[in-house]
Amino acid sequence: MIKSALEKVISEDLSELWTILTPDEKRKVTDNFTTHTFKKNQIIYAEHEEPEFIWCLLKGKVKLFKDGVGGRQQILRLIRPVQYFGYRAYFAKELYVSTAAAMEASTLGAIPMSLVEELIDGNRRLAWFFIHELSRNLGSSDTRIVNLTQKHIRGRLAEALIVLKDNYGYEEDGVTLRIYMGRDDLANLSNMTTSNAIRTLTTFADEKIIVVDGRTIKIIDENTLRKISKYG
């Protein structure tokens, strides 16, 4: 199981990380790599917990979120295969400031952060890899903050749908999003109330931009949706 999980990580778009490791470093990673399965809505790690691992999503979908006023969630990031996450807090020497949970049955790999720190101490290229990842994520977070606070409701929901498409893609029909989110999660991703999310979805459907059937959403006019996301 460990070998097959590692082969997936290596063969996907994060193979860059593997290629900068020496043979001895690769052996250490292989020896310490563990796989974990999570059920839908199961917590992977919780806010205020101490970070121990760098996590890699191998199969499934994961959300990072933070509880706000009145217990309302704000989804901060969506994780797609194959992405690493959960390491920032360790580097910052602080507890987790958000919670990670599986959005569907998911398989994840984990490597102890103590090992990652050891590898970084001896491999400058690995250090630069993480600097690049952290910097890119910070830039994305800055952009998202502006979008969530300055865009109108239509623009925020359109952006959320585009984020879902860009992260998880379409089903084989080329229009159905390959993720099935409840209205609450969609609202939490868009920084709006559930009732506003429902009303805006209905408006998009009336405008023939999308088709909604329960939790299934088909994007009929992606170009228009992207324009609303950009200028809304």
Side-chain angles (χ1 to χ4, degrees):
M1 181 64 179
I2 291 177
K3 182 179 179 181
S4 62
L6 274 174
E7 285 175 347
K8 180 173 178 60
V9 175
I10 295 168
S11 64
E12 297 288 346
D13 56 351
L14 281 173
S15 59
E16 175 192 354
L17 178 56
W18 189 255
T19 61
I20 64 180
L21 299 178
T22 67
D24 183 59
E25 289 169 342
K26 292 176 181 178
R27 179 187 57 78
K28 289 181 179 180
V29 170
T30 302
D31 290 345
N32 290 274
F33 186 89
T34 57
T35 57
H36 307 260
T37 57
F38 293 87
K39 299 177 181 178
K40 181 179 179 180
N41 296 325
Q42 186 175 354
I43 299 297
I44 299 164
Y45 61 77
E47 186 175 355
H48 305 309
E49 286 185 352
E50 186 174 349
E52 297 182 69
F53 301 100
I54 179 172
W55 292 93
C56 179
L57 179 61
L58 302 175
K59 181 181 179 181
K61 299 175 180 67
V62 168
K63 64 179 177 180
L64 306 185
F65 67 90
K66 191 174 182 66
D67 288 327
V69 177
R72 179 183 167 192
Q73 290 183 4
Q74 176 64 58
I75 296 179
L76 306 175
R77 280 179 63 198
L78 296 175
I79 306 298
R80 66 179 182 273
V82 177
Q83 282 187 316
Y84 291 114
F85 65 98
Y87 54 87
R88 187 208 63 82
Y90 184 91
F91 289 147
K93 298 187 183 302
E94 63 185 26
L95 303 179
Y96 281 122
V97 297
S98 61
T99 298
M103 300 180 69
E104 64 183 35
S106 301
T107 303
L108 291 89
I111 303 170
M113 282 302 302
S114 57
L115 174 61
V116 174
E117 184 174 10
E118 176 189 327
L119 295 176
I120 287 176
D121 286 341
N123 189 329
R124 188 175 67 176
R125 292 179 65 196
L126 183 61
W128 276 109
F129 173 86
F130 282 107
I131 290 172
H132 171 76
E133 289 297 303
L134 289 167
S135 299
R136 187 176 63 177
N137 290 337
L138 179 60
S140 297
S141 295
D142 289 347
T143 299
R144 180 159 169 73
I145 288 172
V146 172
N147 290 340
L148 290 178
T149 55
Q150 295 190 5
K151 284 186 178 181
H152 294 298
I153 288 177
R154 282 172 60 89
R156 296 205 301 270
L157 186 61
E159 179 181 326
L161 294 175
I162 292 300
V163 166
L164 295 178
K165 185 271 173 183
D166 289 345
N167 272 272
Y168 302 119
Y170 291 127
E171 298 287 3
E172 292 182 0
D173 62 6
V175 293
T176 303
L177 289 175
R178 193 178 288 137
I179 180 171
Y180 307 99
M181 296 183 71
R183 299 297 181 263
D184 289 342
D185 268 347
L186 193 56
N188 294 337
L189 181 62
S190 310
N191 190 31
M192 64 177 67
T193 64
T194 302
S195 58
N196 279 337
I198 293 173
R199 280 196 293 270
T200 308
L201 278 177
T202 300
T203 299
F204 285 169
D206 290 342
E207 295 172 0
K208 311 300 183 185
I209 299 172
I210 64 173
V211 172
V212 180
D213 183 9
R215 294 192 175 192
T216 300
I217 297 177
K218 297 181 179 181
I219 298 180
I220 306 303
D221 189 344
E222 184 178 329
N223 289 335
T224 296
L225 196 64
R226 288 188 179 275
K227 287 180 182 178
I228 296 173
S229 172
K230 185 176 181 179
Y231 302 109

